[in-house]
Amino acid sequence: EVQVVESGGGLVKPGGSLRLSCAASGFIFSNAWMSWVRQAPGKGLEWVGRIKSTNEGGTTDYAAPVKGRFTVSRDDSKNTLYLQMNSLKTDDTAVYYCTTDLYLGGWYSRYWGQGTLVTVSS
Amino acid sequence: DIQMTQSPSSLSASVGDRVTITCRASQSIGSYLNWYQQKPGKAPKLLIYAASSLQSGVPSTFSGSGSGTDFTLTITSLQPEDFATYYCQQSYNTPRTFGQGTKVEIK
């Protein structure tokens, strides 16, 4: 059974940093493209960023609001995805979801974690 | 970035109704369009990928259509468990933008 479980959320002050983790199981993590999606309280879904599989270069892409502040990385030896968040703003307050991306006629987020809440507040 | 616009933003419907949600892209995205369902306090769930392919395990009352810039999610007979918020997402390029969501409520 595929599982992705996020952790690391919490309360952080504006300008601070936080690192989220996503532990994956039930599939060959090293072959997977992975994404982060967030949802501010009472708002819609926002795609944050994506990392390709290591054997496809492990390259990353980001949404404009987080580019230069957030970094997606992976440790295939630990089957874990990370989201390093720096220079946090109050607008970054959201539930952050880790997703497993699959391709069949197009990319889609097939498996989602339960999410971890990040609150940026003084 | 490609903008995705859903309509309506919300709708009220009864069990058994046929419901149609529209998603429009700001440029042509071929068939690179996904639909997700989200219930309160839960993670989104994939319903439709590549515009019209039904994800395994999703009831056949759900269907997707369209290509280019205009897409539709149809629920042919609304069930109690279908009351939720629905999002479209383009996967033509990054950032993989979402529509703003359509909340389906009980009439």
Side-chain angles (χ1 to χ4, degrees):
Chain A
E1 179 192 4
V2 171
Q3 275 198 315
V4 288
V5 180
E6 305 93 340
S7 61
L11 176 63
V12 61
K13 288 182 168 53
S17 298
L18 203 61
R19 187 178 81 159
L20 306 183
S21 299
C22 169
S25 60
F27 62 101
I28 303 174
F29 180 77
S30 60
N31 290 346
W33 292 32
M34 304 289 294
S35 292
W36 288 96
V37 174
R38 69 183 181 182
Q39 186 169 37
K43 303 297 184 182
L45 301 173
E46 181 182 22
W47 185 86
V48 172
R50 178 225 67 211
I51 187 166
K52 296 182 180 180
S53 64
T54 300
N55 63 13
E56 291 179 89
T59 52
T60 53
D61 276 308
Y62 300 94
V66 307
K67 196 168 188 177
R69 300 188 299 123
F70 289 12
T71 302
V72 181
S73 63
R74 63 192 302 154
D75 185 337
D76 292 344
S77 69
K78 295 182 179 178
N79 287 354
T80 300
L81 177 74
Y82 300 102
L83 180 65
Q84 177 67 45
M85 303 184 294
N86 298 330
S87 302
L88 282 161
K89 306 175 182 179
T90 55
D91 286 350
D92 296 320
T93 294
V95 173
Y96 285 74
Y97 294 102
C98 162
T99 81
T100 305
D101 295 351
L102 296 183
Y103 187 93
L104 189 60
W107 287 103
Y108 54 91
S109 289
R110 173 63 182 91
Y111 298 101
W112 297 64
Q114 82 290 349
T116 188
L117 176 62
V118 173
T119 303
V120 184
S121 175
S122 54
Chain B
D1 297 359
I2 297 174
Q3 306 303 316
M4 306 300 294
T5 303
Q6 288 180 233
S7 60
S9 295
S10 65
L11 64 91
S12 295
S14 300
V15 172
D17 283 354
R18 179 185 181 95
V19 169
T20 299
I21 299 169
T22 296
C23 179
R24 176 164 289 176
S26 61
Q27 68 179 71
S28 179
I29 58 170
S31 295
Y32 295 104
L33 192 283
N34 307 315
W35 289 98
Y36 301 88
Q37 175 194 65
Q38 186 180 33
K39 296 181 180 179
K42 300 294 187 181
K45 170 188 171 183
L46 176 70
L47 298 176
I48 302 281
Y49 61 93
S52 60
S53 296
L54 190 67
Q55 172 60 33
S56 176
V58 174
S60 58
T61 52
F62 288 91
S63 65
S65 64
S67 67
T69 60
D70 294 316
F71 302 86
T72 299
L73 174 70
T74 300
I75 310 171
T76 53
S77 178
L78 200 63
Q79 299 302 301
E81 60 269 25
D82 300 335
F83 291 94
T85 300
Y86 294 85
Y87 295 92
C88 63
Q89 180 201 33
Q90 64 83 15
S91 63
Y92 180 79
N93 62 13
T94 56
R96 295 190 199 149
T97 41
F98 289 90
Q100 81 279 14
T102 296
K103 187 173 184 179
V104 177
E105 298 175 300
I106 301 173
K107 181 183 284 184

